[in-house]
Amino acid sequence: MTLPTQDTVGQLDPVLAEMAAATYRLSRAATQLTPRESALLGLVADICEQTLGMPFEMHVRAALDVGVDADDLRELLRFISYDSGYPAALAALERLAEIERVHGLPGPTGQGHRVDADGTGSPLPMAMRAEVRALDPDFADYMDLQSRMRAGMSRISVRERAFATMTVDVLYQTLQESFRAHVGRALGAGARPDEVRAAVRATAPFGMTRTWRALHVLDALLAEHERPRAEQAKAEQQAQPQA
């Protein structure tokens, strides 16, 4: 495999290479994400930012090194096109195919999922669907279609999908309705608050100031998530008979 490495960056500018290496060492040391999750989020960032040259090649290499295969990569692109936009995902797909061809990498086997484009309904929560339908019925139909077409995906886990969409939110700064929903999905998939925070923090190498803003919003969401537990614990404590 001749995909670019850190040495390739060093040939362009050794000082920037040293800075980048130190940055990623710190990022990896301070994360609760798995290597696979970190690799997937790097690719999501490239799709959003359309950094499809050397950075994308390096992130493809990192993903392959931790066991992500060509079918996984394509499911990630199909999934993320929901939030990144189809043009961005299509450009990344074209580039991925080129990288595979140029470097002689294994291509996809053709495994996919049932799209169900002609079905009805949506796996989204009913309250969310009702809120969007009240906002704009045609947009609600679009959202139903997008979520329904992805319901059968299985190569990318629910937790990985939640972290991926949170990454889109941070990079696009869509930190209202969608960020709230995606943080909730991550927590619902069993991610701990510190792991959710790590997923947001993983966006810092792609734009630190956006991460800073997102962490403020995340703090409020996590406090809101923890409030019912704290109230329940307090009520249970008060209900215990006094010695």
Side-chain angles (χ1 to χ4, degrees):
M1 185 185 299
T2 57
L3 287 171
T5 65
Q6 192 65 34
D7 290 340
T8 312
V9 182
Q11 292 170 11
L12 294 174
D13 182 57
V15 177
L16 181 60
E18 183 180 358
M19 293 166 61
T23 296
Y24 284 104
R25 277 198 305 272
L26 178 61
S27 298
R28 287 192 295 268
T31 186
Q32 289 75 35
L33 305 181
T34 68
R36 175 182 162 97
E37 288 167 348
S38 295
L40 293 176
L41 298 190
L43 290 165
V44 171
D46 288 332
I47 297 165
C48 292
E49 302 288 89
Q50 289 291 279
T51 48
L52 301 179
M54 183 191 296
F56 188 61
E57 290 194 38
M58 294 179 73
H59 291 145
V60 167
R61 180 189 185 113
L64 295 174
D65 286 346
V66 296
V68 178
D69 63 26
D71 291 308
D72 293 338
L73 291 172
R74 278 158 178 78
E75 180 158 296
L76 177 68
L77 290 170
R78 295 176 196 129
F79 174 72
I80 210 65
S81 63
Y82 189 169
D83 289 316
S84 71
Y86 279 87
L90 181 57
L93 177 60
E94 181 182 40
R95 181 70 176 116
L96 174 61
E98 180 185 33
I99 291 169
E100 291 170 340
R101 183 176 64 255
V102 169
H103 297 289
L105 302 175
T109 66
Q111 295 182 34
H113 71 285
R114 181 171 176 266
V115 172
D116 194 25
D118 297 325
T120 59
S122 163
L124 292 174
M126 288 299 299
M128 179 188 295
R129 294 180 64 204
E131 181 180 342
V132 173
R133 189 156 295 280
L135 177 67
D136 188 289
D138 290 336
F139 180 66
D141 289 341
Y142 179 86
M143 185 177 285
D144 280 353
L145 172 65
Q146 297 306 311
S147 58
R148 185 171 66 246
M149 288 195 298
R150 288 158 175 77
M153 291 183 171
S154 60
R155 303 187 69 88
I156 307 298
S157 73
V158 175
R159 171 179 157 127
E160 289 168 346
R161 291 181 231 171
F163 288 165
T165 50
M166 285 169 52
T167 298
V168 179
D169 286 327
V170 176
L171 295 179
Y172 286 176
Q173 290 290 279
T174 49
L175 300 175
Q176 295 79 35
E177 299 86 355
S178 60
F179 189 55
R180 172 186 291 272
H182 297 150
V183 168
R185 177 189 290 173
L187 294 168
R192 301 188 311 267
D194 64 311
E195 293 171 327
V196 173
R197 184 178 295 279
V200 171
R201 198 168 55 240
T203 64
F206 307 97
M208 188 183 74
T209 53
R210 291 178 292 188
T211 307
W212 189 1
R213 175 89 288 272
L215 285 170
H216 276 292
V217 178
L218 180 64
D219 264 353
L221 293 177
L222 291 178
E224 184 180 311
H225 173 74
E226 290 297 322
R227 193 173 301 123
R229 293 189 189 183
E231 291 173 353
Q232 181 180 355
K234 182 178 179 180
E236 290 174 352
Q237 185 178 18
Q238 292 173 343
Q240 291 177 358
Q242 299 297 316

